[in-house]
Amino acid sequence: MKLFFALLAALPVATSAWMTMSIAQGLPLRRSVAKFTDEPIPAEAITKAVEAASMAPNHFMSEPTRMYDLGSEAVGKLKELNEAKAKMFDGIPGWMLVTIKTEHLDENGGISTKLALEDHAAVACATQNFMQSLTEDGVGTKWMTGALGIDPVEIMKVAGASEDEKMMGMIWYGKSAKDLSELKAPPRKLSVEDIMTKVA
């Protein structure tokens, strides 16, 4: 095992984060971050993370993932939509809105058809890739949805997203106030045996 890591360390650094992830080895370990610093995040780290997101599996290359990196003007509008959380929002350096763009919504505009559900799963995978890549570059993340306290439709309007998109989540990102290696995962209730069933 020591020889393996020595050889791995000697390999040239890949240009895209998705090429260098090793989730099976537990590195990098993504955890939800609650408090951030105001240290700027290199644009390259964001680009690599979006590249990683784009490599998520998707049905017949439907590529349903869309992302909106919100600046201070857009965040200011979100603060106006929930003034009670404006102070908390001030402590979040990066805001990445993730949406799903699919042609397979049901007659009510919902995500219930087979292909829409497959696109939904693809965007979820893309979002995890995005956060995992940022973790590799020492950037903390947190996936937010209802806790923002803002109607998703209004959030989409602020971002300028098209009407045929649906919000998947808002990814907060930035340098964690606490070292990422010190963040512990909440204990899982289910074991591997609970999750996986071996079928002969």
Side-chain angles (χ1 to χ4, degrees), residues 139-196:
V139 181
T141 60
K142 187 173 184 179
W143 189 335
M144 299 293 292
T145 50
L148 292 171
I150 305 173
D151 185 339
V153 173
E154 295 303 316
I155 295 175
M156 300 281 280
K157 288 180 180 178
V158 168
S162 63
E163 294 183 358
D164 61 346
E165 295 176 42
K166 300 288 185 181
M167 177 175 166
M168 285 287 292
M170 184 74 75
I171 308 304
W172 286 349
Y173 68 87
K175 288 290 185 179
S176 174
K178 191 174 183 179
D179 192 284
L180 292 177
S181 64
E182 298 178 12
L183 300 178
K184 304 301 181 183
R188 267 38 183 179
K189 298 177 182 178
L190 300 180
S191 67
V192 171
E193 290 73 19
D194 294 323
I195 296 170
M196 179 181 67

Side-chain angles (χ1 to χ4, degrees), residues 34-142:
K35 293 183 179 180
F36 300 89
T37 72
D38 57 2
E39 183 178 342
I41 303 303
E44 181 186 17
I46 304 302
T47 299
K48 287 168 60 180
V50 175
E51 288 177 353
S54 74
M55 297 306 297
N58 55 95
H59 183 79
F60 287 108
M61 293 300 293
S62 59
E63 298 182 295
T65 304
R66 299 292 185 273
M67 294 183 166
Y68 299 84
D69 196 9
L70 306 186
S72 58
E73 182 177 337
V75 174
K77 292 178 181 178
L78 295 181
K79 288 163 60 178
E80 292 175 1
L81 292 171
N82 189 348
E83 295 180 351
K85 292 191 175 182
K87 185 176 181 180
M88 180 179 71
F89 289 174
D90 281 335
I92 310 303
W95 296 65
M96 185 69 76
L97 172 65
V98 181
T99 73
I100 173 175
K101 185 178 179 67
T102 178
E103 301 175 352
H104 308 293
L105 299 176
D106 60 31
E107 59 185 12
N108 297 315
I111 302 173
S112 67
T113 68
K114 177 180 181 294
L115 293 180
L117 289 170
E118 289 184 354
D119 283 343
H120 184 275
V123 179
C125 290
T127 304
Q128 170 69 355
N129 281 9
F130 176 78
M131 295 189 294
Q132 194 77 14
S133 175
L134 286 178
T135 300
E136 182 180 77
D137 283 329
V139 181
T141 60
K142 187 173 184 179

Side-chain angles (χ1 to χ4, degrees), residues 10-25:
L11 292 174
V13 177
T15 57
S16 296
W18 65 270
M19 294 180 179
T20 61
M21 283 192 229
S22 180
I23 295 175
Q25 295 294 330

